[in-house]
Amino acid sequence: MHEPALRAAAFGSDPLPDPAAVRGAGSPRERLLAAIVLGAQGRYAAAATLLDALRRDSDPVVASLAASTLASHRRQLGGHRQARALDGEAFAKAAHLDTAQDPDGLDAAGARADALLGLAADNLALGRLAAARRLAARAGTGAAGWRAGVRGGWVGAEIALAAGQGADAVPHAERALETALARGARRHAVKSRIVLAVALRAAGAPDHRKISDDLVGNAMAAAEECELLSLSWPAALVAADLRPGHAEEYRFRVAQVLHAVLRSADPCGRRVAGESPWVPVPGG
């Protein structure tokens, strides 16, 4: 009964569902979708409880997607080494599966793409640029659905940025945003706007400051409206860089959101955030 609402929250136009929809009951797929929504809201402990159980599910696609979803939550808090182990687990579970296609990539091809793109992002953060390129290319996102296309755009942009190729990052980020908008995937559009703003600024494109500022302003407003705490603080960090006259205000907002997120994180999430050079933990 709840799967359509949970899909709309996880992948569609309604990222803020009725709280009853994310209570963690129902089928394994419904619990997976609930965990995805909880993670987007920064409620990492509640998400981890669901995902740890689902990693042992008898359906290998669900188990794989649970592992890669938990990996993404660890990565959002700067835990790239922990995420890499989970993404490796996710790929091992889905490597040789063949299933019917799901509209949102909750299938074998989508699970493999999620795992490989996660591994690419993990390796990139750990300074393994060549490995990240190989893994992103191996993901073969064209056959894995719209969500893999969006995530592939993010990872492609991040690889180009890490290589100092800002102009090359822009097409990847633009493709991610176009795909998310065409699908009506509001949460994915929020992150795509953040990635595109960073890419445009790195490229030094004409009017990049105004365009990037507009993109980030839109992303912050949508993240606030939909209570997407996992994206609110990264958007505010980018805004602090783009709007130096208001940097203190935005960094205060980052600290506020991270405080709330870490209060709702499990012990592993809090630990990796505290150890990460990427996450400006309050008081750290």
Side-chain angles (χ1 to χ4, degrees):
M1 177 170 63
H2 295 290
E3 185 167 333
L6 286 167
R7 280 189 185 258
F11 306 130
S13 60
D14 185 20
L16 187 57
D18 185 308
V22 291
R23 70 189 188 281
S27 70
R29 183 160 295 195
E30 287 170 339
R31 281 178 275 140
L32 174 67
L33 289 164
I36 291 169
V37 176
L38 289 166
Q41 295 173 349
R43 297 164 62 187
Y44 291 119
T49 298
L50 293 174
L51 294 168
D52 277 331
L54 289 168
R55 286 165 60 197
R56 300 185 293 275
D57 195 82
S58 59
D59 181 343
V61 171
V62 168
S64 174
L65 290 165
S68 59
T69 300
L70 185 57
S72 75
H73 296 170
R74 296 293 183 236
R75 197 160 47 244
Q76 287 162 15
L77 291 175
H80 297 93
R81 292 188 185 280
Q82 294 81 0
R84 186 171 60 169
L86 288 161
D87 282 319
E89 174 188 320
F91 182 72
K93 291 177 185 296
H96 304 295
L97 298 179
D98 185 19
T99 64
Q101 189 174 34
D102 179 88
D104 297 310
L106 303 184
D107 52 34
R112 282 191 293 273
D114 274 3
L116 288 166
L117 290 169
L119 284 166
D122 301 331
N123 278 275
L124 182 62
L126 295 171
R128 302 167 180 245
L129 182 59
R133 287 188 191 279
R134 288 196 300 272
L135 287 159
R138 188 179 172 190
T141 57
W146 73 268
R147 195 166 54 80
V150 173
R151 295 187 70 232
W154 297 341
V155 173
E158 289 160 3
I159 289 172
L161 288 168
Q165 300 165 341
D168 291 341
V170 173
H172 292 286
E174 287 178 333
R175 184 178 72 249
L177 180 56
E178 289 166 2
T179 303
L181 290 173
R183 187 71 187 187
R186 196 169 183 193
R187 175 170 63 88
H188 291 73
V190 170
K191 179 167 178 177
S192 297
R193 286 188 172 97
I194 298 170
V195 175
L196 180 55
V198 174
L200 286 168
R201 182 159 193 196
D207 297 326
H208 68 84
R209 279 190 176 275
K210 182 182 185 317
I211 297 170
S212 295
D213 188 78
D214 289 345
L215 286 164
V216 170
N218 186 299
M220 284 194 298
E224 184 86 14
E225 178 186 347
C226 300
E227 299 181 13
L228 299 173
L229 298 191
S230 65
L231 294 173
S232 288
W233 70 264
L237 268 184
V238 175
D241 189 40
L242 289 170
R243 305 171 181 176
H246 299 277
E248 187 174 344
E249 171 190 342
Y250 289 118
R251 291 197 178 100
F252 178 73
R253 178 59 180 156
V254 169
Q256 281 186 312
V257 175
L258 274 174
H259 178 73
V261 165
L262 294 176
R263 285 183 61 189
S264 298
D266 60 306
C268 180
R270 288 194 293 273
R271 177 174 57 80
V272 298
E275 294 172 351
S276 173
W278 308 98
V279 180
V281 174

